[in-house]
Amino acid sequence: MIQAMKIRTPWLAAAIAIMGFGLFSPAIPADSPIPTIQVVGSDTSSRFVPLGVGKSVVIDLPADIKDVLVADPKIANAVIRSSRRAYLIGVTVGQTNVFFFDAEGKQLAGFDIAVTRDLNGIRTAIKQVLVDSDIRVQGVADGVMLAGYASSPAEAQQAYDIAARLAGDGAKVVNGIIVRNRDQVMIKVTVAEVQRDVIKQLGIDLSANFTRGNAVLNFNNANPFPVNGAALVPGNQFTAPWRAVTTTLRAMERAGLIRTLAEPNLTAISGESANFLAGGEFPIPAGFTCDPTTRNCQTSIQFKKFGVSLTFTPVVLSEGRISLKVLTEVSELSNENQLTLTQVINTLTGETQTLTVPSIKTRRAETTVEIPSGGSLAMAGMIQEQTKQQLNGLPGAMNVPVLGALFKSRDYVNRQTELMVLVTPYVVRAVAQKELARPDDGYADSSDPSAVLLGHFNRIYGAKGNTGPRQSYRGTYGFILN
């Protein structure tokens, strides 16, 4: 008697089935119908079962088990302890499937098994630290995925830090936590910069022509102003000729004050970034290409931003506190250290062009602080002072007391700059449009007779028939210019 043998390895079973079909099966007549192929078990009819390495699951089946098929025993194993109870055991990280059949070959059950690392330690740690959160920890291959909901971005980040530390590799942790009721933060920034320049120039030029017989002596002492680069006013001079000697006095002084002010208000969701720029862009050459046919060359242009810029990233913490990362920058174009380029625009004729690229003066401040909603942060003390002074004159004669002033010139430059940034964040909520006002609310152009005869540009703000505001306002209003 030949005993029937159950094949548990799928590849060996498929090979024997193909060989038996080709060698021992009788030929099928051409007019016979083609037998129908049925898929008894597949992933579509399987249930998903997650398992940890070294963990097991107990399965109770509705009928007696006759055969078990494990696709990859290295990933998971199935142990039969009774005719209707089986144990699925995770061996190593990976995915496989297990099918159970009865005595007639019908499928009793199919399981799609995903074996991951043991995540109970991570689940317990997150539940102990974040009691009120609804965060789920799932395993995907050898990684960890966080899902569910958190009450604040800080809780989501804390759960991610715990999972990254306990998993052993932070790069394999995916944070898919959704934050409920993400707060919005409005930041009010005041950027103020005051720059003061003082330039003083004083010089005496002497020129003389002495002739005695055939001997001629020419004396010309023209003192430059190299610190500032040139005289402030070339025509501001006093010339007094005396016999053969001509004396020219050049005295200039300049004091200037520049104030830069920007007050941007930006709103961003907690954890996101917002940007602001009040300024512009200027072109700089970025490349040079030539056409081999026409020999014409073109310069590609790239634009660089300058002005008052602001970038901030707020994160709302517990108890209304805000972790704020602020980056502010004040930049302006300058002729100092500018670059002059000469390029050939036609290689055949040799025609050239000159490009001048200005430089940029930049003042930048970056910080990360934690302050309450409505609190202010002042970044001040960013003071820069530069003093340059140079004396030029005739050697020896310029060192003579009192009279040496006739043979030398003085060039003095003093620059002082101070930058201050005030930052105030607020946790805000959305408001109705009717509660907001625009700067041009109630504006209307004046009529032609009013504009021509009275010089009015606009009518009085408010409803028709109002001659002026109903309530008086005490204090400063409008634009203040320094």
Side-chain angles (χ1 to χ4, degrees):
M1 178 183 295
I2 300 175
Q3 184 177 2
M5 180 177 61
K6 299 297 183 181
I7 305 299
R8 293 177 178 268
T9 304
W11 297 106
L12 182 59
I16 295 178
I18 294 175
M19 294 174 60
F21 180 78
L23 298 178
F24 304 104
S25 299
I28 300 176
D31 55 351
S32 299
I34 299 176
T36 304
I37 300 176
Q38 296 182 355
V39 179
V40 179
S42 64
D43 292 340
T44 57
S45 61
S46 301
R47 295 181 58 183
F48 177 74
V49 177
L51 277 179
V53 177
K55 301 293 182 177
S56 62
V57 173
V58 181
I59 304 297
D60 288 332
L61 300 175
D64 293 342
I65 304 172
K66 186 64 176 178
D67 188 21
V68 180
L69 175 62
V70 180
D72 191 351
K74 296 180 181 180
I75 304 297
N77 197 4
V79 178
I80 307 299
R81 290 301 183 184
S82 65
S83 60
R84 295 193 178 186
R85 173 165 293 185
Y87 300 89
L88 302 180
I89 303 174
V91 179
T92 184
V93 176
Q95 292 184 348
T96 184
N97 49 16
V98 178
F99 296 96
F100 296 93
F101 302 93
D102 58 7
E104 299 179 357
K106 295 182 180 180
Q107 178 183 346
L108 296 177
F111 300 95
D112 186 7
I113 302 176
V115 181
T116 61
R117 64 178 69 190
D118 187 15
L119 303 177
N120 288 334
I122 299 178
R123 294 189 182 98
T124 303
I126 293 178
K127 193 63 178 177
Q128 290 178 352
V129 177
L130 306 175
V131 181
D132 299 331
S133 62
D134 183 16
I135 299 177
R136 300 186 302 273
V137 182
Q138 302 173 354
V140 179
D142 59 345
V144 179
M145 181 175 180
L146 302 179
Y149 298 91
S151 58
S152 66
E155 289 189 358
Q157 183 63 32
Q158 191 174 6
Y160 174 82
D161 295 339
I162 294 175
R165 181 64 62 88
L166 298 181
D169 189 357
K172 295 183 179 180
V173 178
V174 180
N175 191 356
I177 302 175
I178 300 175
V179 180
R180 296 193 184 101
N181 301 326
R182 299 184 66 181
D183 295 321
Q184 298 187 69
V185 179
M186 184 192 74
I187 180 171
K188 181 179 180 181
V189 181
T190 300
V191 181
E193 182 186 20
V194 177
Q195 180 177 345
R196 177 175 176 266
D197 292 343
V198 176
I199 301 177
K200 297 179 181 180
Q201 295 177 343
L202 177 62
I204 297 177
D205 298 341
L206 297 177
S207 62
N209 187 354
F210 298 97
T211 303
R212 186 150 184 102
N214 295 328
V216 178
L217 175 62
N218 291 326
F219 177 80
N220 189 3
N221 182 25
N223 297 316
F225 299 101
V227 174
N228 189 58
L232 293 177
V233 183
N236 187 14
Q237 59 188 15
F238 174 74
T239 303
W242 180 72
R243 295 186 180 181
V245 180
T246 302
T247 304
T248 302
L249 174 64
R250 294 189 295 176
M252 286 78 65
E253 182 176 353
R254 182 175 69 183
L257 180 65
I258 301 176
R259 181 192 182 196
T260 303
L261 180 63
E263 293 185 349
N265 293 337
L266 297 177
T267 303
I269 299 177
S270 176
E272 303 295 335
S273 299
N275 299 283
F276 167 82
L277 174 64
E281 298 180 350
F282 70 97
I284 59 175
F288 194 67
T289 57
C290 296
D291 190 352
T293 305
T294 61
R295 302 290 186 90
N296 292 328
C297 301
Q298 294 182 352
T299 302
S300 58
I301 299 300
Q302 181 180 358
F303 290 88
K304 186 174 181 60
K305 298 179 181 179
F306 72 96
V308 180
S309 65
L310 170 68
T311 301
F312 80 99
T313 304
V315 176
V316 180
L317 306 177
S318 59
E319 300 179 358
R321 301 189 64 85
I322 301 174
S323 176
L324 187 64
K325 181 178 181 181
V326 182
L327 171 61
T328 181
E329 179 179 305
V330 178
S331 59
E332 61 179 344
L333 299 180
S334 175
N335 293 328
E336 298 181 3
N337 302 323
Q338 66 181 5
L339 181 63
T340 302
L341 302 176
T342 302
Q343 297 179 344
V344 179
I345 60 176
N346 192 298
T347 58
L348 184 62
T349 61
E351 184 180 356
T352 61
Q353 68 175 1
T354 302
L355 300 177
T356 301
V357 181
S359 61
I360 296 182
K361 291 183 178 181
T362 304
R363 278 78 66 197
R364 183 183 297 111
E366 182 177 3
T367 184
T368 301
V369 295
E370 181 178 331
I371 55 179
S373 176
S376 296
L377 165 68
M379 292 182 288
M382 291 174 282
I383 301 174
Q384 179 183 2
E385 184 173 359
Q386 184 182 35
T387 302
K388 295 181 181 180
Q389 185 172 195
Q390 189 170 4
L391 296 176
N392 298 276
L394 187 65
M398 61 179 294
N399 297 326
V400 177
V402 182
L403 295 179
L406 300 175
F407 302 94
K408 64 182 178 182
S409 64
R410 180 194 181 208
D411 195 5
Y412 173 84
V413 176
N414 179 263
R415 289 188 175 92
Q416 298 176 353
T417 301
E418 182 177 2
L419 176 65
M420 184 184 68
V421 181
L422 295 176
V423 180
T424 305
Y426 299 91
V427 178
V428 296
R429 298 289 183 268
V431 298
Q433 184 179 3
K434 63 181 181 180
E435 299 181 7
L436 301 177
R438 302 187 317 181
D440 60 341
D441 284 346
Y443 174 83
D445 291 332
S446 62
S447 60
D448 292 341
S450 178
V452 174
L453 301 178
L454 302 179
H456 292 169
F457 290 99
N458 58 276
R459 300 175 185 174
I460 297 178
Y461 283 13
K464 184 177 181 180
N466 291 345
T467 58
R470 297 181 179 180
Q471 297 179 356
S472 61
Y473 174 78
R474 296 183 179 180
T476 306
Y477 60 93
F479 292 96
I480 303 174
L481 302 178
N482 287 346

